[in-house]
Amino acid sequence: MLSQSTAFPTLSPPTADVPADAPRWNPQRPSAMPHHRYRPAHQRIELPLTDRTWPSRRIERAPLWVPVDLRDGNQALAEPMDTARKRRMFDLLVTMGFKEIEVGYPSASQTDFDFVRHLAADGAVPDDVTVSVFTAARRDLIDRTMAAVEGLPLVLVHLYTATAPTWRNVVLTRSRTEVHRLVLDAAAHLLRRTEERPGADIRFEFSPEVFNLTEPDFVLEVCDSLTELWEASPDRPVVHNLPATVEIATPNVYADQIEYMDRHLARRDSVILSIHPHNDRGTGVACAELALLAGAQRVEGCLFGNGERTGNADLVALALNLYAQGVNPMVDFSDIDAVREVVEHCNRLPVHPRHPYGGELVHTAFSGTHQDAIAKGLAHHARQAAEQGVAADEAPWAVPYLPIDPGDVGRTYEEVIRINSQSGKGGIAHLLHAHHGLDLPPSMRPDFSRAVQRVTDSTGRELGHKELFELFHATYIAPALDGPLPLASWRATEPAPGEHRFVGTLCTDGLERSCHGTGNGPLSALADALGTLGTTVDILGYTEHSTGTGPDSPAVAYVECRVNGVTLWGAGWHTSVLTASVHAVMAAVNRREQVSP
């Protein structure tokens, strides 16, 4: 075994003393990493809200979702989208039901400019969809933006300027007053350019970039002045978008900041309070949800959370989180795999297989205990739906480990339970029942589970439902005909009520041996016949069922037998129930012949 220093030469466990106030159960020691270089949020920005009310609220309706995949998401790609990929993404977003879509930054990129013109020229934008375009607060960039949106039916021009102290001092090298003047000048120019187009439906949005690190009074000062300048009204509101441009605190801090703005923005009924959380701390979705509790009405984000650094708020997770709470998401995710395929194609980035709701494996269980719970939950759900007289896909959903019905997002139940070396008897039985009509007796399931375990342990791979059935057939059904003691011929009769006779011929070592027996049923007569040849058979349990409907549907029989002192299972598969039963007993007998004494 490699030593720790050899295996990880740049790492070493902390050696400082355990903190004096640490409980005995926590022996962690302080790391040598320079954490003192970083300041907590409360030392970086004023957080004036103390009487918060958002924790006691509930989200009862979806906000206005605004996908920014074509602008913010696109500028985060190593290979930005061309027009063809942008158009495919845009068409997907429209098809899903998004009504406001940020389509680009036309003043920053010829490709973005050309794409906005493509949308206008091609008539690609439905009459009820608002196109949002992004621009910095500079006159020349605003002019370029206005040229791009000519002819589009509904337009939202999104103006932004960084307002946080570090950005003002380091990037813009301007004071608060100078930044405010810059924003007002750009906003006034935008208003003039819009007034040059009477009849055009153009509205305005402003983002104080890095809002979450900007002084609250300064954000209010700038936003309120724009609400007045742009003459916002309830029927023509302005959008004030408050980005957590770089996450710097726990989500509750962002919620406090949003509730403070919700309470103090002037002419609140003329303002759409919007949010744009990033995911630097891995809590972008949580920030968005708490901000909605705090009064936000509009959310900007990307499908599957693409975006700069660790990404934007994930609109898939946000919308389906609401869906899982019984809230209509107002967009269509009924074919999540199609959505994922388009996003992966356009972004040229894979969606992680464990990504919430959309990942390939998120509805899949490998663990035996999880599979057993899911299988029982699905069966219980089907029974409840039948009792209520409704289809299973309309009945209330409550299945362990599955927060939503995978069928609601276009997934099949085949993907829910997959079999590997960690899987259990419940999941295996579920797949055989769902795909092949086999309803294994509960006491048989551990036996077959061990057979599956031997295969998955030795191969290290999954078994699909077809492979499971093939293994079941080889283990329990095939030995009746392929084993060392096959029945060459047989006949079962009932010469008198309750009196059964069995006559058969077995092949052993190339020789045929006849046997006959009697009993109170066909199988007991078979056991008696086998006893005349020196094979003692006690039938311990028997189950049969049809695998389908109609007279030609095969029946399957399961028999647990003690054969010469060894307990074994056998199964038979035939359109005749009697034949399936006889084959099941003979399968168990032949399996005994294959087992060492």
Side-chain angles (χ1 to χ4, degrees), residues 510-564:
L511 300 176
E512 292 188 350
R513 300 175 64 189
S514 298
C515 63
H516 58 85
T518 61
N520 59 8
L523 297 189
S524 62
L526 169 59
D528 185 52
L530 291 169
T532 65
L533 299 180
T535 299
T536 303
V537 178
D538 297 315
I539 297 175
L540 307 177
Y542 172 81
T543 306
E544 67 181 43
H545 66 81
S546 174
T547 59
T549 57
D552 297 327
S553 296
V556 63
Y558 314 91
V559 179
E560 186 180 20
C561 299
R562 185 182 297 113
V563 184
N564 292 341

Side-chain angles (χ1 to χ4, degrees), residues 47 137 223 241 261 334 361 384 410 485 533 550 584:
L47 303 173
C223 288
N241 184 56
M261 296 299 294
S334 61
L361 296 177
Q384 280 203 322
L485 292 175
L533 299 180

Side-chain angles (χ1 to χ4, degrees), residues 41 53 128 316 318 348 361 368 377 384 417 477 502 519 559 573 596:
T53 62
D128 63 345
V316 173
L318 282 165
R348 294 181 178 170
L361 296 177
Q384 280 203 322
I417 293 176
I477 297 176
F502 186 93
V559 179
W573 177 284
S596 300

Side-chain angles (χ1 to χ4, degrees), residues 140-430:
D140 58 327
L141 301 183
I142 291 169
D143 290 342
R144 178 75 167 162
T145 302
M146 295 300 291
V149 300
E150 178 71 35
L152 286 167
L154 300 174
V155 175
L156 181 74
V157 179
H158 182 176
L159 192 71
Y160 82 94
T161 294
T163 54
T166 300
W167 276 253
R168 293 197 309 260
N169 299 334
V170 175
V171 180
L172 301 176
T173 63
R174 299 190 186 210
S175 67
R176 276 178 50 152
T177 301
E178 290 170 329
V179 168
H180 193 174
R181 188 180 305 121
L182 178 153
V183 172
L184 283 175
D185 178 72
H189 182 71
L190 174 59
L191 181 62
R192 288 192 296 270
R193 292 303 316 271
T194 302
E195 290 172 342
E196 294 170 2
R197 300 184 184 180
D201 196 335
I202 301 173
R203 295 187 299 112
F204 308 123
E205 173 180 357
F206 174 65
S207 285
E209 193 73 4
V210 207
F211 153 78
N212 56 326
L213 277 171
T214 303
E215 306 92 332
D217 67 310
F218 185 46
V219 176
L220 282 172
E221 178 185 327
V222 175
C223 288
D224 288 348
S225 66
L226 294 185
T227 302
E228 182 177 355
L229 173 68
W230 284 334
E231 299 179 340
S233 62
D235 61 345
R236 196 167 182 78
V238 64
V239 177
H240 286 316
N241 184 56
L242 307 178
T245 307
V246 180
E247 275 197 306
I248 54 92
T250 50
N252 61 294
V253 172
Y254 188 53
D256 283 351
Q257 293 174 311
I258 297 301
E259 184 172 344
Y260 180 83
M261 296 299 294
D262 178 48
R263 292 191 198 177
H264 293 91
L265 280 167
R267 297 162 65 174
R268 183 64 184 86
D269 61 350
S270 300
V271 172
I272 299 171
L273 182 54
S274 175
I275 57 170
H276 184 123
H278 276 256
N279 196 46
D280 300 270
R281 304 179 76 253
T283 56
V285 167
C287 274
E289 290 181 326
L290 298 194
L292 288 173
L293 293 173
Q297 301 156 291
R298 178 181 182 272
V299 178
E300 296 185 351
C302 287
L303 297 179
F304 302 108
N306 178 46
E308 294 177 298
R309 303 179 308 281
T310 59
N312 289 285
D314 179 356
L315 295 187
V316 173
L318 282 165
L320 289 176
N321 281 351
L322 289 185
Y323 182 74
Q325 296 294 312
V327 177
N328 193 312
M330 307 301 284
V331 282
D332 185 6
F333 289 100
S334 61
D335 190 347
I336 196 71
D337 289 337
V339 174
R340 188 183 73 217
E341 189 276 327
V342 172
V343 171
E344 289 182 328
H345 168 80
C346 294
N347 288 344
R348 294 181 178 170
L349 290 173
V351 172
H352 195 283
R354 295 292 183 189
H355 195 101
Y357 300 106
E360 183 181 359
L361 296 177
V362 296
H363 295 115
T364 300
F366 292 103
S367 163
T369 55
H370 289 207
Q371 290 176 345
D372 184 61
I374 291 171
K376 290 176 179 175
L378 290 173
H380 181 261
H381 176 75
R383 287 194 302 271
Q384 280 203 322
E387 291 169 2
Q388 296 167 7
V390 299
D393 59 1
E394 292 292 331
W397 182 256
V399 173
Y401 296 112
L402 297 177
I404 65 170
D405 184 345
D408 287 353
V409 290
R411 293 290 178 81
T412 66
Y413 293 113
E414 182 175 349
E415 299 158 327
V416 172
I417 293 176
R418 288 165 57 173
I419 304 303
N420 65 12
S421 60
Q422 302 180 75
S423 304
K425 58 185 183 297
I428 294 167
H430 171 78

